[in-house]
């Protein structure tokens, strides 16, 4: 919803949750009683480039009106485009006390750095493959699943560095990637004067944000490295890159989507193809493309699993 005027009659003892309609994305304003007024928490502000209904600017304008430009905390749950791309320059004109981010975004955390570099490399290699296929006019580059996979990676990358490697093939997505990267940079720098906190599962904050009686319990993400490894693609599941200028396939790493005992030679007598032979043109190619699309979705899901999850407990109410 996008009311033009400030809501009148918000009672001192009323908790209000406002959800803004931005398209494929999220933007919430949580208003919590504090004395004779309210303190305000913004949870995410973003929209995916492929589902943008052009209302996010109105949402930010309404938040400024409703809060008088005073924000107790911004919670950016994770760095997907549809959750943070709306944190534009306008937020630097607001009085924001704190910014909360998941520990996995902490630039001083060794495990976070290790994880982020690995994921960024996988995502960029994956996009190189997709862009090369598109340049070669491969039929696989225009399938519904591939389009979804490409959108998933664009939602994930959020790096201005990706603009160069994607080149002309990504011209229509350049603005999306750049805005995402700039938004995360602003948040990590604390916008104007905000305190930045990187939070992990298990932390409990009594009287959070200076609000008497408000307890915030952080439920995720956890820090255990085994959790991150569980979400990693198998080590054998790596990449081949396609040369863009019609030079065919450049072998960099082979991809093995199945364990060795499932791999058989089609020439062996008694071989039974796992895909109907009438529909199968090239078994290895089908396996490769299916696995890479799946890898795009796996990387996308991994980022979701590093989300900052908070439980607000206030006056007998539980807000997850």
């Amino acid at each position: 919803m996008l009311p033009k005027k400030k809501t009148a009659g918000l009672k001192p003892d009323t908790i209000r949750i406002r959800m803004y309609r931005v398209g494929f994305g999220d933007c919430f304003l949580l208003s919590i009683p504090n004395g004779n007024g309210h303190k305000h928490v913004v949870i995410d502000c973003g929209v995916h480039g492929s589902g943008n209904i052009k209302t996010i600017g109105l949402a930010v304008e309404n938040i400024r009106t409703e809060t008088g430009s005073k924000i107790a905390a911004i919670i950016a749950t994770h760095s997907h485009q549809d959750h943070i791309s709306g944190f534009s320059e306008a937020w630097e004109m607001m009085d924001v006390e704190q910014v909360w981010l998941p520990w996995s975004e902490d630039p001083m955390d060794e495990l976070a750095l290790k994880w982020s570099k690995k994921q960024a490399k996988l995502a960029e290699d994956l996009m190189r493959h997709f862009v090369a296929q598109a340049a070669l006019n491969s039929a696989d580059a225009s399938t519904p699943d591939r389009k979804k996979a490409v959108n998933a990676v664009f939602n994930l990358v959020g790096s201005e560095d990706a603009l160069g490697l994607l080149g002309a093939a990504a011209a229509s997505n350049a603005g999306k990637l750049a805005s995402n990267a700039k938004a995360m940079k602003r948040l990590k720098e604390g916008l104007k004067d905000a305190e930045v906190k990187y939070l992990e599962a298990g932390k409990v904050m009594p009287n959070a944000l200076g609000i008497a009686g408000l307890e915030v319990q952080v439920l995720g993400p956890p820090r255990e490295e085994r959790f991150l490894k569980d979400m990693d693609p198998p080590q054998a599941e790596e990449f081949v890159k396609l040369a863009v200028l019609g030079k065919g396939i450049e072998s960099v790493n082979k991809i093995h989507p199945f364990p060795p005992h499932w791999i058989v030679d089609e020439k062996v007598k008694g071989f039974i193809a796992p895909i109907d032979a009438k529909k199968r043109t090239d078994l290895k190619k089908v396996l490769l493309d299916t696995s890479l699309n799946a890898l795009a979705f796996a990387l996308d899901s991994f980022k979701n699993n590093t989300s900052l999850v908070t439980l607000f407990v206030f006056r007998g109410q539980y807000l997850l």
Side-chain angles (χ1 to χ4, degrees):
M1 61 181 184
L2 296 168
K4 294 181 180 179
K5 296 182 180 180
K6 184 173 181 178
T7 303
L10 185 58
K11 297 180 181 179
D13 61 347
T14 298
I15 299 172
R16 185 184 65 183
I17 303 170
R18 176 162 286 179
M19 178 177 67
Y20 293 91
R21 183 173 177 267
V22 296
F24 179 7
D26 285 300
C27 184
F28 296 87
L29 175 62
L30 171 61
S31 300
I32 304 172
N34 184 52
N36 292 324
H38 286 73
K39 280 199 170 186
H40 306 281
V41 177
V42 173
I43 304 167
D44 288 340
C45 183
V47 61
H48 194 290
S50 297
N52 190 348
I53 60 173
K54 310 296 184 183
T55 59
I56 199 158
L58 293 173
V60 174
E61 180 182 337
N62 183 257
I63 288 172
R64 290 181 65 183
T65 300
E66 290 292 318
T67 64
S69 292
K70 294 186 180 296
I71 311 292
I74 287 175
I75 301 176
T77 58
H78 60 288
S79 59
H80 268 155
Q81 184 185 70
D82 57 324
H83 289 263
I84 67 163
S85 62
F87 287 113
S88 61
E89 291 89 343
W91 293 91
E92 296 173 357
M93 296 183 283
M94 300 191 209
D95 181 9
V96 180
E97 296 177 23
Q98 296 181 15
V99 174
W100 295 0
L101 299 169
W103 71 268
S104 53
E105 296 293 343
D106 187 350
M108 303 302 291
D109 188 294
E110 290 185 8
L111 183 57
L113 284 173
K114 174 184 173 182
W115 170 81
S116 63
K117 288 179 180 178
K118 181 175 182 179
Q119 296 300 311
K121 181 63 168 60
L122 284 170
E124 290 181 5
D125 282 351
L126 191 56
M127 189 55 79
R128 280 193 183 97
H129 179 94
F130 289 165
V131 169
Q133 275 200 320
L136 292 172
N137 296 316
S138 167
D140 300 295
S142 59
T143 64
D145 277 350
R146 174 54 56 81
K147 290 178 180 178
K148 291 177 184 178
V150 169
N151 279 334
V153 178
F154 271 124
N155 196 32
L156 171 71
V157 174
S159 170
E160 291 180 276
D161 294 336
L163 300 181
L165 76 90
L166 296 178
S172 63
N173 293 287
K176 306 171 192 175
L177 291 174
S179 64
N180 197 29
K182 289 176 182 176
M184 181 51 69
K185 185 173 184 291
R186 283 191 195 97
L187 292 168
K188 289 185 177 182
E189 291 177 350
L191 299 173
K192 186 169 62 177
D193 298 310
E195 175 188 5
V196 180
K197 293 187 175 184
Y198 296 96
L199 304 175
E200 61 187 71
K203 185 173 181 60
V204 177
M205 295 178 280
N207 299 319
L209 304 172
I211 301 174
L214 172 64
E215 179 179 280
V216 175
Q217 302 174 17
V218 183
L219 306 182
R223 274 201 65 89
E224 291 87 345
E225 191 167 3
R226 63 179 176 82
F227 174 82
L228 300 180
K229 287 181 178 179
D230 284 346
M231 290 301 299
D232 277 345
Q235 288 186 1
E237 197 162 32
E238 295 177 342
F239 299 93
V240 296
K241 288 192 295 186
L242 293 181
V244 175
L245 301 177
K247 296 179 181 178
I249 295 178
E250 173 191 352
S251 295
V252 178
N253 291 297
K254 291 185 177 180
I255 186 164
H256 301 289
F258 303 110
H261 61 272
W262 287 107
I263 298 174
V264 294
D265 188 339
E266 292 185 59
K267 297 177 182 178
V268 174
K269 186 177 181 180
F271 169 79
I272 300 175
I275 300 175
D276 188 335
K278 293 181 181 179
K279 298 179 181 179
R280 177 174 56 83
T281 57
D282 184 334
L283 177 59
K284 293 181 180 178
K285 184 170 178 295
V286 171
L287 293 178
L288 173 63
D289 290 338
T290 300
S291 183
L292 288 179
N293 283 347
L295 181 55
F297 300 129
L299 289 172
D300 192 54
S301 296
F302 179 92
K303 179 65 73 174
N304 283 323
N305 279 283
T306 62
S307 292
L308 179 57
V309 183
T310 51
L311 176 66
F312 283 61
V313 183
F314 186 70
R315 298 180 182 175
Q317 304 298 314
Y318 293 77
L319 308 175
L320 181 64

